[in-house]
Amino acid sequence: MDYREKRLSVLIVEDEIKVVEAVRAYLENAGFEVSYALLGSAAINALKEKNFDLIILDLMLPDISGEEICRTIRKTSDTPIIMLTAKSSEDSKINGLNIGADDYLIKPFSPRELVARAKAVLRRFCQETERNMCGFKGGLSIDYITPAVYKDGSEVALTPNEFKILSFMSRNPGRYYSREQLIEKAIGASFDGYDRAVDSHIKNLRQKIEDNPKSPRYIVTQYGFGYKFGGVKL
Ligand code: CA
């Protein structure tokens, strides 16, 4: 997603039609494609049908609270959310951010400020998404958030432990780790009777991501030192 090239879609969830109209006019003027829902239930339905790039969410709705909708969205999606509310206390602000809102505007607000905040939130989100996806020479890429691993453009199915090892090692490249360190730091388990399992995870990982598992470029072994990630970022 790139906010500079694509027309981004925004869902406004707000029961006051005057606020919807004002915000909608400004957002459309700024190039956004705007949908709206006057009830929480309508918002939930709209979200089932379409992936929006940004959600503007009023907290005080007649049926479902904005907080509840926010929690529901966050179970499955990291779409940016800007909350709108008349509640001006510090507590409700912190609560909004804690349950997953990206920004917060207190009513009455200026629609121009909302547009500026929307752009800032989307810019931040795009930068984070780019940081969460990393490509390496030789056709390996890792999406740390989804999570997913690709080799030459095709998704590779990894087990959770294989992903944990690859994710940890690729984020700490060039350093050697012993089996025990990998279990503790990457998998987060105790290593009693488990250290040989690391060898088998590494063997399977190499089969999946290396061009030649016998001469690996990503997961390199040095006798006496352990394993290190040898991938080079694109
Ligand atoms: Ca309201």
Side-chain angles (χ1 to χ4, degrees):
M1 184 183 79
D2 187 328
Y3 85 103
R4 287 156 299 192
E5 288 165 12
K6 206 183 105 199
R7 200 156 174 238
L8 296 181
S9 58
V10 183
L11 175 66
I12 307 169
V13 187
E14 163 67 82
D15 59 312
E16 283 169 74
I17 191 72
K18 277 188 181 166
V19 175
V20 172
E21 277 166 2
V23 169
R24 183 185 186 176
Y26 274 85
L27 286 169
E28 282 181 348
N29 205 25
F32 291 95
E33 187 192 306
V34 181
S35 308
Y36 67 91
L38 297 170
L39 288 174
S41 53
I44 301 278
N45 287 336
L47 289 163
K48 280 182 193 153
E49 279 168 25
K50 185 172 171 177
N51 284 320
F52 292 91
D53 296 304
L54 173 70
I55 299 160
I56 293 169
L57 181 60
D58 180 32
L59 287 189
M60 306 280 267
L61 295 163
D63 56 347
I64 311 170
S65 77
E67 285 98 335
E68 192 61 45
I69 296 171
C70 185
R71 279 193 211 96
T72 307
I73 294 169
R74 279 291 170 267
K75 282 180 193 161
T76 56
S77 143
D78 58 358
T79 304
I81 298 173
I82 299 178
M83 279 185 174
L84 301 181
T85 184
K87 296 177 187 171
S88 61
S89 80
E90 185 91 321
D91 278 357
S92 64
K93 191 165 172 174
I94 291 167
N95 184 41
L97 298 174
N98 275 344
I99 60 177
D102 297 88
D103 203 353
Y104 202 95
L105 267 175
I106 292 162
K107 290 177 176 177
F109 58 88
S110 108
R112 280 179 63 195
E113 185 182 359
L114 175 65
V115 170
R117 298 270 192 113
K119 287 181 177 173
V121 161
L122 284 163
R123 225 172 0 246
R124 220 155 56 216
F125 184 73
C126 287
Q127 283 163 357
E128 277 167 22
T129 308
E130 275 163 29
R131 268 206 299 280
N132 293 332
M133 184 83 187
C134 199
F136 299 93
K137 284 187 183 170
L140 177 72
S141 32
I142 303 173
D143 177 344
Y144 293 99
I145 294 299
T146 307
V149 172
Y150 301 87
K151 173 69 183 168
D152 300 325
S154 306
E155 189 169 354
V156 179
L158 299 186
T159 66
N161 281 341
E162 287 164 9
F163 183 81
K164 284 181 190 168
I165 291 171
L166 180 63
S167 162
F168 172 76
M169 291 184 75
S170 61
R171 284 177 145 157
N172 298 279
R175 257 194 74 181
Y176 282 102
Y177 293 96
S178 67
R179 290 190 192 96
E180 290 79 7
Q181 285 173 321
L182 283 180
I183 292 163
E184 196 190 317
K185 292 175 189 291
I187 301 178
S190 107
F191 52 78
D192 282 347
Y194 196 59
D195 58 341
R196 293 288 153 189
V198 169
D199 293 358
S200 114
H201 291 321
I202 299 254
K203 192 177 156 216
N204 294 334
L205 255 178
R206 282 178 173 153
Q207 294 287 345
K208 293 175 181 178
I209 63 168
E210 301 282 0
D211 287 328
N212 178 1
K214 288 188 176 152
S215 171
R217 66 147 79 192
Y218 297 118
I219 303 202
V220 181
T221 319
Q222 173 78 43
Y223 185 75
F225 287 89
Y227 297 105
K228 79 164 181 185
F229 186 76
V232 176
K233 275 191 187 177
L234 287 175

